[in-house]
Amino acid sequence: MNERKPYPSDLSDEQWALIESVITAWKAAHRSVSGHQGKYAMRAIVNAIFYQGRTGVQWDYLPHDLPPSGAVYYYFAKWRDDGTAQKIHDLLRWHVRERKRRLADPSLVVLDTQSVRAAAGVPATTTGRDAAKKVPGRKRGLAVDVFGLVIAVVVLAASAHDNVAGDGPAGPGCRADLRHGDQGPGRPGLQEHRHRPWRQPRDRRGDRPAQPTMGSSASGDAGSSSRPTAP
């Protein structure tokens, strides 16, 4: 990387280490016909993508001390379309969840939607009118786990019912078997299984745990993670 003053959106060494193997493996699998490895370092490309995502500038307005917009957008589009960006997102979410002593895949997903007005140039075939909220436009649905980590995002016509947003998969590798609508993370009654999949039985009075039965462990067995290793 060229020496330059870092931007707040730049990856730290620790952050880059989390995704470097994924990017390196992708680069090794997508060699050019001529064998040229490219003029720009992959970390510089990622930093430029993060800069654009954080600031919202147009691609042609990227600062001159970052790789040119053509090169940056090439990788952005490739990783978006072939699932590499989704893979990195999932790996980072699994990493955060396991650090919080949770299973990599959530057992519960919180889903909520918001209807927003669409711009004048948006095709009418992809918009509608939310009958309840009286909003013409589109409806965006966000599925998160109990920590607020994003599982999936879906965009529908505002006329679509909220249940339609919840009918799709919660995300690659996610095996959540319970979903709540219109409930924010952390509200009472919203619980998720921890690493210990067992539940301690309670006596009939319900105010104290029953004595462990034969074969049960006082500490419980840690659940196995389904997080795949990065290539």
Side-chain angles (χ1 to χ4, degrees):
M1 294 178 61
N2 295 328
E3 291 296 331
R4 63 170 176 82
K5 185 177 180 180
Y7 293 104
S9 57
D10 283 359
L11 292 172
S12 65
D13 292 341
E14 293 77 11
Q15 292 170 335
W16 172 243
L18 293 174
I19 66 173
E20 181 179 10
S21 60
V22 179
I23 301 298
T24 302
W26 184 93
K27 187 66 175 177
H30 295 79
R31 298 181 181 275
S32 65
V33 177
S34 63
H36 191 267
Q37 294 301 308
K39 183 178 179 181
Y40 305 101
M42 288 294 96
R43 183 170 177 178
I45 295 292
V46 174
N47 282 336
I49 293 175
F50 280 6
Y51 179 94
Q52 194 280 335
R54 184 66 181 87
T55 63
V57 300
Q58 298 180 23
W59 290 104
D60 289 339
Y61 285 83
L62 286 175
H64 294 298
D65 54 358
L66 292 175
S69 59
V72 178
Y73 186 80
Y74 169 82
Y75 287 102
F76 167 80
K78 282 286 188 181
W79 295 339
R80 176 198 62 194
D81 296 340
D82 68 9
T84 300
Q86 182 66 46
K87 179 187 294 185
I88 292 174
H89 177 270
D90 292 338
L91 286 172
L92 294 177
R93 187 184 67 246
W94 290 329
H95 177 75
V96 171
R97 287 181 55 83
E98 290 184 338
R99 288 188 63 180
K100 294 180 178 291
R101 300 181 62 80
R102 299 277 184 164
L103 293 172
D105 293 328
S107 59
L108 180 145
V109 171
V110 184
L111 175 66
D112 201 3
T113 62
Q114 180 186 28
S115 295
V116 296
R117 294 181 180 274
V122 174
T125 55
T126 62
T127 61
R129 181 178 179 82
D130 190 322
K133 300 177 182 177
K134 312 300 181 183
V135 176
R138 288 177 172 172
K139 178 175 292 185
R140 54 193 180 195
L142 190 65
V144 301
D145 65 4
V146 296
F147 297 115
L149 300 176
V150 176
I151 306 297
V153 178
V154 62
V155 178
L156 306 166
S159 56
H161 194 275
D162 287 5
N163 290 342
V164 177
D167 288 340
C174 179
R175 294 185 293 276
D177 55 7
L178 179 61
R179 304 180 187 184
H180 286 261
D182 295 326
Q183 295 187 31
R187 292 192 178 183
L190 194 57
Q191 299 293 331
E192 183 184 27
H193 301 307
R194 291 183 178 272
H195 246 311
R196 297 179 297 178
W198 63 281
R199 292 183 177 181
Q200 196 172 27
R202 306 184 71 85
D203 62 10
R204 293 183 179 179
R205 290 173 291 177
D207 58 354
R208 66 179 182 180
Q211 293 297 323
T213 57
M214 183 176 297
S216 65
S217 171
S219 60
D221 295 329
S224 60
S225 169
S226 59
R227 176 172 64 87
T229 57

